[in-house]
């Protein structure tokens, strides 16, 4: 996309809006989605807050949910809308809507080296398939496949695969979660809500009272070591993420690396690097050697979906 346009990263908790131009974004505004009744209202408020000289007729949005047609809704919030109706009501000439981790995946070729944090060995640099995964309000998954000098985007809903267990305690955790949810997706453990789910499941297994916890409470107690169950919950969170990221790497043959995004781990990158994530990533039996050669990197860019939208081609 040439010129400038409005972009938005719409998550289950926060929405971020910005103006994109020349592969960068600026004038970023973050709002809580609960402040607005609809995406239309939130986007209108952002547009009305721009300078009178800035009137955009093009927009691109990254949505934390599946985008398989005209009707779209956030998986963990709602805000249902019609792409065509939103385009018409805002008077836009062009509106691109995609999954948030599709947009996050598009950011990977444009990340400066200062915006990535290596977790585990560097591996061998190669231009192969790239996996992208990230826990936030939910669990996002995407991929890029080399296509000549460019990339082919492979969006998906990998956060809703069935959560795998590798230890007896993980079997017990999943059993507790299954009694609560029925199907236990990866997102039930590897997300903000998943941290709380893990904490509560571990309390149930140990037969101890459950204290009211937010995801931030769990991580704060875990990092400070002030609650043993929270410490275990964060450890299981990292381990489960390692297993799932390794499954993603094997599924797409991610010789170009696996990138971890999402807001949860940005404040705890050292603790994450010291966790069992990388061990579990490589723990794939006969293919452990293959995975040892695949680098895993934490994305430090605060809004990689916005960076991906700012570098859209076409439209």
């Amino acid at each position: 996309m040439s010129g400038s346009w409005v972009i938005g990263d719409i998550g289950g908790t926060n929405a971020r809006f910005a103006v994109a131009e020349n592969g960068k974004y600026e004038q970023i505004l973050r709002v809580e989605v609960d402040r607005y009744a609809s995406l239309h209202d939130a986007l209108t408020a952002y547009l009305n807050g721009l300078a009178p000289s800035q009137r955009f007729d093009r927009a691109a949005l990254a949505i934390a949910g599946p985008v398989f047609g005209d009707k779209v809704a956030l998986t963990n919030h709602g805000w249902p809308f019609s792409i065509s109706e939103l385009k018409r009501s805002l008077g836009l000439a062009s509106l691109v809507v995609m999954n948030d981790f599709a947009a996050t995946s598009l950011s990977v070729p444009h990340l400066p080296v200062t915006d990535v944090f290596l977790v585990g060995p560097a591996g061998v640099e190669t231009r192969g398939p790239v996996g992208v995964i990230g826990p936030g309000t939910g669990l996002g998954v995407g991929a890029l496949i080399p296509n000549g000098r460019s990339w082919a985007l492979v969006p998906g809903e990998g956060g809703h695969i069935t959560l795998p267990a590798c230890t007896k305690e993980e079997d017990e955790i999943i059993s507790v979660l299954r009694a609560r949810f029925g199907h236990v997706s990866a997102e039930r453990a590897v997300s903000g809500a998943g941290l709380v789910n893990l904490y509560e499941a571990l309390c149930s297994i140990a037969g101890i009272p459950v204290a009211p916890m937010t995801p931030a409470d769990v991580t704060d107690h875990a990092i400070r070591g002030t609650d043993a169950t929270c410490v275990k919950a964060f450890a299981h969170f990292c381990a489960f993420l390692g297993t799932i990221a390794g499954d993603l790497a094997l599924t797409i043959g991610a010789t170009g690396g696996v990138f971890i995004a999402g807001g949860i781990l940005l404040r705890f990158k050292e603790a994450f690097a010291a966790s069992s994530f990388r061990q579990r990533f490589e723990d794939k039996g006969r293919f452990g050697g293959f995975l040892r050669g695949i680098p895993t990197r934490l994305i430090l860019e605060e809004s990689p979906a916005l960076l991906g939208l700012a570098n859209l081609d076409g439209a």
Side-chain angles (χ1 to χ4, degrees), residues 5 19 34 38 48 61 86 126 138 169 175 180 198 203 240 258:
W5 63 99
V19 174
D34 286 338
S38 67
N48 289 342
L61 303 174
L86 183 63
T126 179
E169 188 166 51
S175 180
R180 179 177 173 184
L198 289 171
C203 287
F240 275 128
V258 172

Side-chain angles (χ1 to χ4, degrees), residues 177 180 188-189 191-202 210-218 233 237:
L177 296 181
R180 179 177 173 184
R188 295 297 191 187
S191 64
L195 278 164
V196 178
N197 291 339
L198 289 171
Y199 164 77
E200 292 176 349
L202 289 166
V210 174
M213 290 278 181
T214 66
D217 292 334
V218 176
F237 175 94

Side-chain angles (χ1 to χ4, degrees), residues 38-236:
S38 67
L39 174 57
H40 177 278
D41 292 348
L43 187 51
T44 298
Y46 177 73
L47 292 170
N48 289 342
L50 296 174
S53 59
Q54 292 182 296
R55 286 294 176 262
F56 300 97
D57 65 354
R58 297 182 304 156
L61 303 174
I63 303 294
V67 182
F68 295 129
D70 184 64
K71 304 292 186 180
V72 181
L74 301 179
T75 300
N76 292 297
H77 181 75
W79 267 10
F81 68 97
S82 157
I83 297 174
S84 59
E85 289 179 7
L86 183 63
K87 176 183 175 183
R88 177 188 54 78
S89 66
L90 293 173
L92 299 172
S94 171
L95 174 61
V96 176
V97 179
M98 64 175 61
N99 173 265
D100 60 338
F101 261 75
T104 296
S105 299
L106 290 175
S107 76
V108 169
H110 306 283
L111 290 168
V113 295
T114 53
D115 277 350
V116 293
F117 179 78
L118 185 67
V119 179
V124 179
E125 294 292 338
T126 179
R127 183 176 166 79
V130 171
V132 184
I133 186 169
T137 302
L139 177 64
V141 178
L144 293 175
I145 309 298
N147 181 25
R149 292 187 176 183
S150 61
W151 297 90
L153 173 66
V154 184
E157 288 296 324
H160 300 281
I161 63 169
T162 302
L163 182 66
C166 294
T167 68
K168 183 177 183 296
E169 188 166 51
E170 288 180 354
D171 285 333
E172 294 176 315
I173 290 170
I174 291 173
S175 180
V176 172
L177 296 181
R178 187 180 297 116
R180 179 177 173 184
F181 297 113
H183 176 250
V184 184
S185 68
E187 185 172 284
R188 295 297 191 187
V190 187
S191 64
L195 278 164
V196 178
N197 291 339
L198 289 171
Y199 164 77
E200 292 176 349
L202 289 166
C203 287
S204 176
I205 293 167
I208 60 178
V210 174
M213 290 278 181
T214 66
D217 292 334
V218 176
T219 52
D220 287 346
H221 280 300
I223 300 306
R224 291 189 288 115
T226 50
D227 185 284
T229 308
C230 289
V231 171
K232 289 184 67 175
F234 184 73
H236 279 294

